[in-house]
DNA sequence: CAAAACATACCAACCAGTTGGTATGTTGTC
DNA sequence: GACAACATACCAACTGGTTGGTATGTTTTG
């Protein structure tokens, strides 16, 4: 009966707070005190669960992976019989997620890796794991779509899967610069158009 | 006779230092003291030329625009007679720029806007100006290529120009996550492929 | 009751920004 | 063209608030 938000322990509350605060202000500008205030816990609780701010960053990236894994695993686009439809369905699903404020639909690990890639290897690696493992879930469908269409492309399923992530991450940056989702949605439309062209082209 | 680097004043040295330091560590993690040390000037000089760290951020974004404007204005891809070749030449040029360490080829304003979009409007706007004005330089060639090929697309030249920037910005994020330019280059290859398909398609 | 889960109080280092000052032009005036 | 009046460029030392982290409690739970 009792819902989650009330019964959460300090660790979960801190991780949830980290997702929203870091996505809004970035990792470096987010202070431990701020995280504690947003989570409604004290600093003692913070350092009981995380040995440092950096450790929280790594845990937040892992937590982000868990959350998104669940979200995408349950998304309806997997139901399509045609693997290309699953890939296109994935991208359409990503477009549907572009709702609410910019901090709500942008990517935690994309934000964090920008700030930490040179200075904090542990966080960079956690962000890389998150992005790369998510891209890998697309790779199988792309591979199946290639076989299904009998293509022999000069690109790999892996590089295309990563390209979809590049487009999305770049779309988030434009959304942040312009203060809205519209520009991101248009970039996702271009990605969809590319995928359709790739798999339906009548090449010379 | 005397070369530039020795004769620079404190302001220019600080702006040059800002480009490298902020691209490496991010805006929030970069301290004023660090900037001064990298520029070889004192804090007094810093606050003489910039009224705050935020003001330096804005100035750095404007300085970045100047630098990149010059670089792209003089690039050889403008010489192509065919507008589509100019667009493809631009993307090829961007791929050529993916040399050296990750902090050397990534984008200052893409990095800064991620951290400041919600908290520091002045910097966000400066970054937006930089990205959008750069994209606008592409728009004319795209428009000309559309007319040249007699296309009536369901997308706009502006959205495609912004999409190229999204791909590049996203490619930088992947490069940061993976610690190298290779993944970015592959994404740029996908962008080139998309452009060629868009303009040479035999649609059903 | 023992250990895990939290809270309170505190600290040393750090940070953006200030202060008061010097050195070197530039400008106006007779 | 000499000299006062002012402006610009820069510097070293300092400050007050903030930050990540710690030391030491108290409370809850199995």
């Amino acid at each position: 009966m009792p819902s989650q938000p009330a019964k959460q322990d300090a660790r979960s509350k801190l991780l949830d707070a980290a997702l929203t605060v870091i996505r809004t202000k970035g990792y470096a500008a987010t202070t431990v005190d701020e995280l504690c205030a947003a989570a409604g816990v004290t600093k003692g609780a913070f350092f009981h669960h995380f040995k440092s701010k950096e450790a929280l960053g790594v845990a937040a990236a892992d937590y982000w992976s868990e959350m998104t894994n669940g979200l995408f695993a349950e998304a309806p686009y997997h139901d399509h019989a045609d693997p290309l439809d699953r890939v296109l369905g994935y991208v359409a699903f990503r477009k549907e997620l572009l709702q609410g404020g910019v901090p709500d639909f942008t990517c935690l690990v994309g934000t964090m890796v920008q700030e930490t890639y040179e200075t904090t290897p542990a966080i960079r690696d956690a962000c890389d794991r998150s992005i790369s493992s998510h891209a890998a879930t697309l790779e199988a469908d792309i591979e199946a779509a290639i076989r299904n269409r009998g293509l022999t492309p000069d690109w790999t399923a892996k590089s295309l899967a990563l390209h979809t992530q590049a487009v999305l991450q770049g779309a988030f940056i434009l959304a942040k610069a312009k203060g809205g989702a519209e520009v991101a949605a248009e970039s996702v439309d271009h990605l969809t158009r590319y995928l359709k062209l790739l798999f339906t082209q009548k090449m010379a």
Side-chain angles (χ1 to χ4, degrees), chain A residues 105-117:
Chain A
F105 63 74
T106 47
C107 176
L108 176 81
V109 296
T111 299
M112 280 206 298
V113 79
Q114 282 252 34
E115 298 180 64
T116 60
Y117 74 106

Side-chain angles (χ1 to χ4, degrees), chain A residues 87 90-91 94 131-132 134-136 138-139 142 155-171 187-196 198-199:
Chain A
V87 175
Y90 164 80
V91 177
R94 293 305 302 255
I131 295 173
S132 297
H134 180 67
L138 262 182
E139 207 178 313
I142 293 174
W155 43 270
T156 64
K158 183 174 183 175
S159 83
L160 184 57
L162 286 170
H163 178 64
T164 64
Q165 301 309 299
V167 172
L168 288 162
Q169 294 292 346
S187 217
V188 172
D189 286 340
H190 280 289
L191 177 59
T192 296
R193 197 173 292 110
Y194 176 48
L195 292 168
K196 287 180 177 170
L198 265 186
F199 284 94

Side-chain angles (χ1 to χ4, degrees), chain A residues 23 102-103 105-107 110-111 171-180 183:
Chain A
R23 285 200 285 174
V102 176
F105 63 74
T106 47
C107 176
T111 299
F172 292 152
I173 291 188
L174 292 191
K176 286 174 179 176
K178 296 197 166 294
V183 66

